[in-house]
Amino acid sequence: MKVTYIGHSGFLVELERAVLLFDYYQGEIPQLPEGKKLYVFSSHRHGDHFNPEVFALARQYEDVQYVFSRDIWRSRVPEELQAQVVQMKANTEWTAGSEAGGQPEHQTADIGLTVRTLRSTDAGVAFLVQTEGKTLYHAGDLNDWRWDGEPEDWNRRMGENFKKFLEPIRGWKIDAAFVPLDPRQEENYALGLDYFLGLVDVEKVYPMHCWEDYSVIDRWFLEHPDSPYREKIIKISGRGESFFQK
């Protein structure tokens, strides 16, 4: 499995038979290999997680499936691509090829891919994707968004909701997780990531939503010198970096 950091919360995951693009916002998408199905995920409609430019991929590649949060307006989808878009609300499940009518004839057979969604503490959904023996988690904006200056009750409810919305995946084994680590939260920057690490059995975590301030990743390592999870955190330092997992 090859994971390429595109920018912000955008990642490209290349598997043996499929390529998964998550939350493209800006940055360079590498040339994709021929003969693999492309799944394009957008967790919600915020401008730093959804860019309509992803529809141009359907002109470049023959076999593209879009999986969007339901809060992305259907009117933003080009008419000719409506049949290639699945929209999901929170706490639902979709299996590739399960939609009525199947896939267009020119497309290859679906590869056995299942998507589950979790409710976000901000907008849209988080994605859990299972395919080719791998389980991937992309948080979108599901995070413990506590902020200095917000009322105490607001921050308390945020923490409670975050834990409640993540509860369905307690104990899950996850191969690769893409999780916010936002420096704007100041002293609260690692609340979401730290809780996630203790909730699931994750192989590798790719910090995201850093607003290109990768020093926040170094800060996590500096402030967690004895953490048993240090080997799980990927140190991202710039766009276009690729990482390989078994």
Side-chain angles (χ1 to χ4, degrees), residues 35-78:
K36 294 188 179 184
K37 189 175 184 75
L38 172 61
Y39 291 88
V40 179
F41 296 85
S42 292
S43 64
H44 60 287
R45 69 187 182 202
H46 289 171
D48 62 322
H49 291 260
F50 169 71
N51 187 333
E53 290 181 8
V54 296
F55 295 123
L57 294 168
R59 296 193 294 270
Q60 296 176 253
Y61 303 100
E62 183 179 19
D63 199 357
V64 183
Q65 172 72 59
Y66 296 91
V67 184
F68 290 168
S69 166
R70 200 167 68 170
D71 73 320
I72 296 174
W73 298 305
R74 195 81 185 187
S75 61
R76 304 194 73 175
V77 180

Side-chain angles (χ1 to χ4, degrees), residues 2 15 45 52 62 81 114 135 137 147 152 180 200 220 222:
K2 179 181 178 181
L15 300 167
R45 69 187 182 202
E62 183 179 19
L81 296 179
T114 296
T135 299
Y137 170 77
W147 304 90
E152 183 178 341
V200 301
W220 186 91
L222 181 65

Side-chain angles (χ1 to χ4, degrees), residues 1 4 14 21 34 41 57-58 64 88 106 147 152 156:
M1 179 170 65
T4 300
E14 183 180 339
L21 177 63
E34 295 183 1
F41 296 85
L57 294 168
V64 183
M88 300 184 68
H106 73 272
W147 304 90
E152 183 178 341
R156 177 181 53 78

Side-chain angles (χ1 to χ4, degrees), residues 72-230:
I72 296 174
W73 298 305
R74 195 81 185 187
S75 61
R76 304 194 73 175
V77 180
E79 185 63 33
E80 67 273 16
L81 296 179
Q82 292 280 337
Q84 290 171 242
V85 176
V86 170
Q87 290 184 287
M88 300 184 68
K89 62 182 180 179
N91 300 312
T92 58
E93 180 177 319
W94 172 77
T95 299
S98 63
E99 59 275 11
Q103 295 294 314
E105 290 183 1
H106 73 272
Q107 293 187 329
T108 61
D110 280 296
I111 59 170
L113 178 143
T114 296
V115 182
R116 295 175 177 85
T117 57
L118 300 177
R119 182 177 174 182
S120 176
T121 45
D122 189 3
V125 300
F127 290 115
L128 277 155
V129 182
Q130 293 179 298
T131 187
E132 299 189 43
K134 301 292 186 183
T135 299
L136 310 175
Y137 170 77
H138 191 285
D141 267 355
L142 173 52
N143 189 33
D144 193 342
W145 295 113
R146 282 184 261 184
W147 304 90
D148 290 344
E150 288 289 351
E152 183 178 341
D153 284 351
W154 191 94
N155 279 330
R156 177 181 53 78
R157 287 194 299 272
M158 171 59 67
E160 291 172 352
N161 285 337
F162 173 68
K163 293 175 181 179
K164 180 172 68 174
F165 298 164
L166 269 184
E167 190 60 26
I169 63 170
R170 176 180 291 277
W172 274 49
K173 180 171 176 52
I174 296 173
D175 294 282
F178 309 97
V179 179
L181 195 65
D182 195 320
R184 301 174 305 164
Q185 287 189 268
E186 299 179 337
E187 66 178 23
N188 299 314
Y189 79 104
L191 290 176
L193 175 59
D194 288 344
Y195 183 80
F196 178 83
L197 287 168
L199 185 75
V200 301
D201 178 10
V202 62
E203 184 69 23
K204 294 295 180 183
V205 174
Y206 298 80
M208 66 176 194
H209 215 278
C210 303
W211 298 100
E212 315 304 324
D213 180 3
Y214 309 110
S215 67
V216 72
I217 304 174
D218 295 328
R219 177 183 175 185
W220 186 91
F221 278 94
L222 181 65
E223 295 181 357
H224 297 72
D226 301 317
S227 171
Y229 306 116
R230 287 173 63 89

